[in-house]
């Protein structure tokens, strides 16, 4: 898709540089632009699907862990909740890195791309060592509440990443190539 988008861009530029005002040339440029837009939409969809798969893989792993504890017909122990919490936090950290990469690409190109978008509060705080120490001190109820909070924050981060991707696709689709390479 990236190669096809680049090829369409090159052909459009070539036709536009020929500065021919012929109707046929203008029609060709319009057709190439429509094809390019279709390819950009496909690329955007694939990127969003890839991000969703990454999130779903985490959720599947988490659901397996929680359904296993439900099948044993007793409440999980704190030791059973901490590993999924650590996994979720690692997933959030990766998502934050990805968002950081996306926003850096946008800032390099045009800071206006992200105008009106603000990252969720959870994007800005991350003291993993202190958080892990706190987990060890929490009781079962506190751990369950922390798990819920982390899942909510992950969903917010995912939604923000999707919004950033949408802005990139709308304003600078060529940046998507760098995004795909980063994945």
């Amino acid at each position: 898709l990236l190669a096809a988008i680049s090829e369409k861009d090159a052909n459009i530029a070539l036709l536009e540089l020929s500065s021919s005002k012929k109707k046929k040339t203008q029609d060709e440029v319009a057709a190439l632009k429509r094809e390019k837009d279709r390819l950009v939409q496909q690329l955007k969809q694939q990127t969003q699907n890839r991000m969703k798969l990454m999130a779903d893989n985490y959720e599947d792993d988490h659901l397996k862990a929680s359904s296993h504890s439900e099948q044993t017909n007793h409440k999980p122990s704190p030791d059973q909740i901490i590993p999924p919490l650590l996994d979720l936090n690692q997933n959030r950290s990766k998502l934050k890195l990805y968002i950081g990469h996306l926003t850096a690409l946008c800032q390099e190109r045009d800071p206006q791309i992200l105008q009106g978008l603000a990252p969720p509060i959870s994007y800005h705080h991350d003291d993993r060592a202190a958080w892990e120490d706190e987990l060890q001190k929490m009781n079962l109820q506190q751990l369950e509440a922390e798990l819920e909070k982390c899942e909510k924050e992950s969903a917010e981060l995912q939604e923000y990443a999707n919004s950033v991707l949408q802005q990139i696709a709308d304003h600078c689709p060529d940046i998507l190539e760098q995004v795909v390479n980063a994945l």
Side-chain angles (χ1 to χ4, degrees):
L1 285 174
L2 293 172
I5 291 169
S6 294
E7 182 182 345
K8 300 296 179 208
D9 275 336
N11 287 335
I12 290 168
L14 187 61
L15 287 172
E16 288 177 341
L17 286 176
S18 71
S19 45
S20 173
K21 299 296 180 199
K22 293 180 186 173
K23 173 118 175 83
K24 182 180 176 188
T25 303
Q26 292 173 349
D27 290 344
E28 285 180 52
V29 168
L32 285 170
K33 285 183 178 179
R34 283 191 302 274
E35 289 175 38
K36 178 188 164 200
D37 289 344
R38 183 182 53 79
L39 292 170
V40 166
Q41 282 302 110
Q42 283 180 324
L43 181 60
K44 181 176 69 172
Q45 188 63 44
Q46 281 185 356
T47 304
Q48 287 177 339
N49 289 346
R50 183 178 289 146
M51 289 178 62
K52 184 171 177 359
L53 279 173
M54 288 168 48
D56 288 348
N57 283 341
Y58 166 76
E59 288 172 14
D60 288 348
D61 291 345
H62 176 68
L63 287 175
K64 286 177 190 171
S66 65
S67 69
H68 174 69
S69 65
E70 288 169 10
Q71 288 172 0
T72 59
N73 224 6
H74 69 283
K75 283 222 174 248
S77 71
D79 291 340
Q80 291 172 316
I81 293 180
I82 290 176
L85 264 167
L86 294 174
D87 290 344
L88 182 56
N89 191 56
Q90 184 176 9
N91 189 32
R92 283 189 308 173
S93 294
K94 288 179 184 175
L95 199 47
K96 287 178 184 181
L97 285 172
Y98 182 63
I99 289 169
H101 182 71
L102 289 175
T103 55
L105 288 172
C106 292
Q107 293 298 331
E108 287 174 17
R109 173 64 66 84
D110 180 5
Q112 295 299 315
I113 295 172
L114 299 178
Q115 186 175 4
L117 285 181
I121 294 170
S122 61
Y123 177 74
H124 297 292
H125 53 76
D126 193 18
D127 185 357
R128 185 179 178 126
W131 180 76
E132 287 182 16
D133 288 342
E134 285 297 312
L135 287 181
Q136 301 303 324
K137 299 173 188 170
M138 291 182 182
N139 64 33
L140 181 61
Q141 190 174 9
Q142 291 169 321
L143 286 169
E144 288 173 340
E146 187 67 19
L147 184 61
E148 242 178 82
K149 177 183 153 211
C150 289
E151 288 172 340
K152 180 180 177 251
E153 288 176 357
S154 287
E156 290 170 351
L157 287 167
Q158 183 69 51
E159 188 176 318
Y160 178 69
N162 288 342
S163 298
V164 171
L165 277 172
Q166 182 66 50
Q167 289 295 101
I168 290 172
D170 291 347
H171 297 282
C172 297
D174 58 300
I175 292 179
L176 286 176
E177 180 177 353
Q178 294 171 328
V179 170
V180 171
N181 290 339
L183 291 174

mmCIF file of all heavy atoms in Angstrom, residues 6 14 32 49-50 61 128 138 174-175:
data_model
loop_
_atom_site.group_PDB
_atom_site.id
_atom_site.type_symbol
_atom_site.label_atom_id
_atom_site.label_comp_id
_atom_site.label_asym_id
_atom_site.label_seq_id
_atom_site.Cartn_x
_atom_site.Cartn_y
_atom_site.Cartn_z
ATOM 1 N N SER A 6 2.919 5.966 -2.826
ATOM 2 C CA SER A 6 4.064 6.742 -3.332
ATOM 3 C C SER A 6 4.035 6.837 -4.854
ATOM 4 O O SER A 6 4.326 7.887 -5.429
ATOM 5 C CB SER A 6 5.375 6.101 -2.880
ATOM 6 O OG SER A 6 5.497 6.185 -1.489
ATOM 7 N N LEU A 14 4.007 14.291 -11.489
ATOM 8 C CA LEU A 14 4.485 14.328 -12.869
ATOM 9 C C LEU A 14 3.451 14.967 -13.789
ATOM 10 O O LEU A 14 3.781 15.835 -14.611
ATOM 11 C CB LEU A 14 4.819 12.907 -13.334
ATOM 12 C CG LEU A 14 5.487 12.760 -14.685
ATOM 13 C CD1 LEU A 14 6.836 13.477 -14.692
ATOM 14 C CD2 LEU A 14 5.683 11.294 -15.018
ATOM 15 N N LEU A 32 -6.190 9.602 -10.323
ATOM 16 C CA LEU A 32 -5.063 9.176 -9.478
ATOM 17 C C LEU A 32 -5.264 9.623 -8.029
ATOM 18 O O LEU A 32 -4.944 8.881 -7.088
ATOM 19 C CB LEU A 32 -3.743 9.739 -10.026
ATOM 20 C CG LEU A 32 -3.205 9.056 -11.289
ATOM 21 C CD1 LEU A 32 -2.051 9.856 -11.875
ATOM 22 C CD2 LEU A 32 -2.758 7.640 -10.971
ATOM 23 N N ASN A 49 -6.476 -1.561 12.508
ATOM 24 C CA ASN A 49 -6.701 -2.980 12.783
ATOM 25 C C ASN A 49 -5.517 -3.583 13.528
ATOM 26 O O ASN A 49 -5.693 -4.387 14.446
ATOM 27 C CB ASN A 49 -6.957 -3.758 11.491
ATOM 28 C CG ASN A 49 -8.307 -3.447 10.880
ATOM 29 O OD1 ASN A 49 -9.167 -2.861 11.524
ATOM 30 N ND2 ASN A 49 -8.487 -3.819 9.631
ATOM 31 N N ARG A 50 -4.312 -3.203 13.136
ATOM 32 C CA ARG A 50 -3.116 -3.717 13.804
ATOM 33 C C ARG A 50 -3.100 -3.278 15.267
ATOM 34 O O ARG A 50 -2.819 -4.073 16.163
ATOM 35 C CB ARG A 50 -1.857 -3.225 13.094
ATOM 36 C CG ARG A 50 -0.588 -3.792 13.712
ATOM 37 C CD ARG A 50 0.643 -3.344 12.972
ATOM 38 N NE ARG A 50 0.711 -3.995 11.680
ATOM 39 C CZ ARG A 50 1.201 -3.432 10.593
ATOM 40 N NH1 ARG A 50 1.682 -2.213 10.637
ATOM 41 N NH2 ARG A 50 1.247 -4.084 9.466
ATOM 42 N N ASP A 61 -5.496 -12.408 26.627
ATOM 43 C CA ASP A 61 -4.637 -12.950 27.680
ATOM 44 C C ASP A 61 -5.226 -12.639 29.053
ATOM 45 O O ASP A 61 -5.234 -13.479 29.940
ATOM 46 C CB ASP A 61 -3.216 -12.371 27.589
ATOM 47 C CG ASP A 61 -2.472 -12.870 26.359
ATOM 48 O OD1 ASP A 61 -2.928 -13.857 25.741
ATOM 49 O OD2 ASP A 61 -1.439 -12.257 26.026
ATOM 50 N N ARG A 128 6.842 3.698 37.158
ATOM 51 C CA ARG A 128 6.615 2.259 37.230
ATOM 52 C C ARG A 128 7.128 1.633 38.525
ATOM 53 O O ARG A 128 6.442 0.822 39.146
ATOM 54 C CB ARG A 128 7.257 1.578 36.017
ATOM 55 C CG ARG A 128 6.961 0.107 35.970
ATOM 56 C CD ARG A 128 7.571 -0.569 34.752
ATOM 57 N NE ARG A 128 7.279 -1.973 34.821
ATOM 58 C CZ ARG A 128 6.691 -2.655 33.864
ATOM 59 N NH1 ARG A 128 6.327 -2.045 32.771
ATOM 60 N NH2 ARG A 128 6.460 -3.934 33.998
ATOM 61 N N MET A 138 -1.075 -3.461 48.319
ATOM 62 C CA MET A 138 -2.534 -3.382 48.175
ATOM 63 C C MET A 138 -3.204 -4.689 48.573
ATOM 64 O O MET A 138 -2.662 -5.769 48.359
ATOM 65 C CB MET A 138 -2.901 -3.048 46.722
ATOM 66 C CG MET A 138 -2.540 -1.674 46.292
ATOM 67 S SD MET A 138 -3.071 -1.410 44.578
ATOM 68 C CE MET A 138 -2.480 0.230 44.291
ATOM 69 N N ASP A 174 1.381 10.612 4.126
ATOM 70 C CA ASP A 174 2.706 10.036 3.894
ATOM 71 C C ASP A 174 3.410 9.698 5.212
ATOM 72 O O ASP A 174 4.304 8.838 5.247
ATOM 73 C CB ASP A 174 3.577 10.977 3.055
ATOM 74 C CG ASP A 174 3.743 12.342 3.705
ATOM 75 O OD1 ASP A 174 2.723 13.024 3.919
ATOM 76 O OD2 ASP A 174 4.890 12.701 4.011
ATOM 77 N N ILE A 175 2.995 10.329 6.308
ATOM 78 C CA ILE A 175 3.576 10.004 7.616
ATOM 79 C C ILE A 175 3.202 8.576 8.012
ATOM 80 O O ILE A 175 3.915 7.933 8.778
ATOM 81 C CB ILE A 175 3.122 11.011 8.694
ATOM 82 C CG1 ILE A 175 3.732 12.388 8.423
ATOM 83 C CG2 ILE A 175 3.515 10.546 10.090
ATOM 84 C CD1 ILE A 175 3.319 13.455 9.425
#
